[in-house]
Amino acid sequence: GENVEQHPSTLSVQEGDSAVIKCTYSDSASNYFPWYKQELGKRPQLIIDIRSNVGEKKDQRIAVTLNKTAKHFSLHITETQPEDSAVYFCAASYGPGNQFYFGTGTSLTVIP
Amino acid sequence: EPEVTQTPSHQVTQMGQEVILRCVPISNHLYFYWYRQILGQKVEFLVSFYNNEISEKSEIFDDQFSVERPDGSNFTLKIRSTKLEDSAMYFCASSDFSGGARRDTQYFGPGTRLTVL
């Protein structure tokens, strides 16, 4: 099955700086890559996703890039704010109805 | 916006006891999932459920586990004889799968923290 690696495990940035979290996957058949944000004690919330037919997707301060050849995808958060502090998980899937294979998570701290 | 709900939020049980974790998926969703997250580890898939039967299950989902959709709204995970290593956060999720931009998206519940003593 699929194997997703995520790094770094922890990341601290100053407010206003950018944050980048990277994930790699092993199976080229994966075609859907969501990113979830989980605040302490709350449910994982989808923040952005990308499909394999797209190389980049942006939503305000958040962007995701996908390199199918290298089998890696990254989350970019610009102009970080303290409320961006949370654990971020990447995942890969073979498509609708299939399980998500999750990365190990990145704990992001934005220092005011 | 509709959300997946789970009960209880925290369950404490003795080793060997049976537990049932409950989930109410989003009402028009067709696929249901259970995942678990042992403290400090990654979220792991347990099982998916579609059209009243198991669609896919992982190696973790052994004979001690079962799932059921007892009515039109609830989706349950039963662990027959809990072990210490079953202590984890259990997440339920659901997805639409009816087409459109959100067909792949899985919406997660808030989780049930299971503690086995």
Side-chain angles (χ1 to χ4, degrees), chain B residues 39-52:
Chain B
L39 190 64
Q41 299 184 21
K42 65 169 68 177
V43 178
E44 301 173 290
F45 169 77
L46 294 178
V47 65
S48 59
F49 192 87
Y50 173 70
N51 201 25
N52 286 317

Side-chain angles (χ1 to χ4, degrees), chain A residues 3-5 31-32 36 38 41-46 49 51 57 89 95-104, chain B residues 3-4 31 33 35 37 42-43 45 48 55-56 91 95 97 100-110:
Chain A
N3 182 48
V4 176
E5 302 285 341
N31 60 23
Y32 176 67
Y36 284 83
Q38 187 177 26
K42 297 189 176 180
R43 74 187 69 214
Q45 295 269 19
L46 177 75
D49 56 6
R51 291 189 176 83
K57 184 176 178 181
F89 292 96
N98 286 283
Q99 64 170 290
F100 282 1
Y101 296 87
F102 281 92
T104 47
Chain B
E3 290 185 329
V4 176
Y31 257 99
Y33 314 82
Y35 292 84
Q37 185 178 28
K42 65 169 68 177
V43 178
F45 169 77
S48 59
S55 176
E56 187 180 8
F91 291 106
S95 62
F97 196 41
R102 284 281 169 248
R103 64 188 182 278
D104 300 275
T105 305
Q106 294 181 20
Y107 296 86
F108 282 78

Side-chain angles (χ1 to χ4, degrees), chain B residues 4 17 22-23 30 35 57 90 114:
Chain B
V4 176
Q17 295 296 304
R22 292 182 166 81
C23 168
L30 302 176
Y35 292 84
K57 60 182 181 180
Y90 288 80
L114 176 65

Side-chain angles (χ1 to χ4, degrees), chain B residues 59-113:
Chain B
E59 293 176 351
I60 303 168
F61 195 87
D62 61 20
D63 291 344
Q64 292 301 311
F65 291 88
S66 63
V67 289
E68 190 178 31
R69 186 153 166 83
D71 53 46
S73 59
N74 289 282
F75 178 52
T76 62
L77 174 69
K78 181 193 289 187
I79 309 175
R80 288 190 182 79
S81 179
T82 50
K83 308 182 185 71
L84 295 176
E85 53 265 36
D86 292 329
S87 294
M89 178 73 89
Y90 288 80
F91 291 106
C92 174
S94 68
S95 62
D96 189 350
F97 196 41
S98 62
R102 284 281 169 248
R103 64 188 182 278
D104 300 275
T105 305
Q106 294 181 20
Y107 296 86
F108 282 78
T112 292
R113 181 165 297 284

Side-chain angles (χ1 to χ4, degrees), chain B residues 10-14 83-84 86-88 113-117:
Chain B
H10 193 186
Q11 173 91 48
V12 181
T13 189
Q14 294 290 326
K83 308 182 185 71
L84 295 176
D86 292 329
S87 294
R113 181 165 297 284
L114 176 65
T115 302
V116 182
L117 302 177

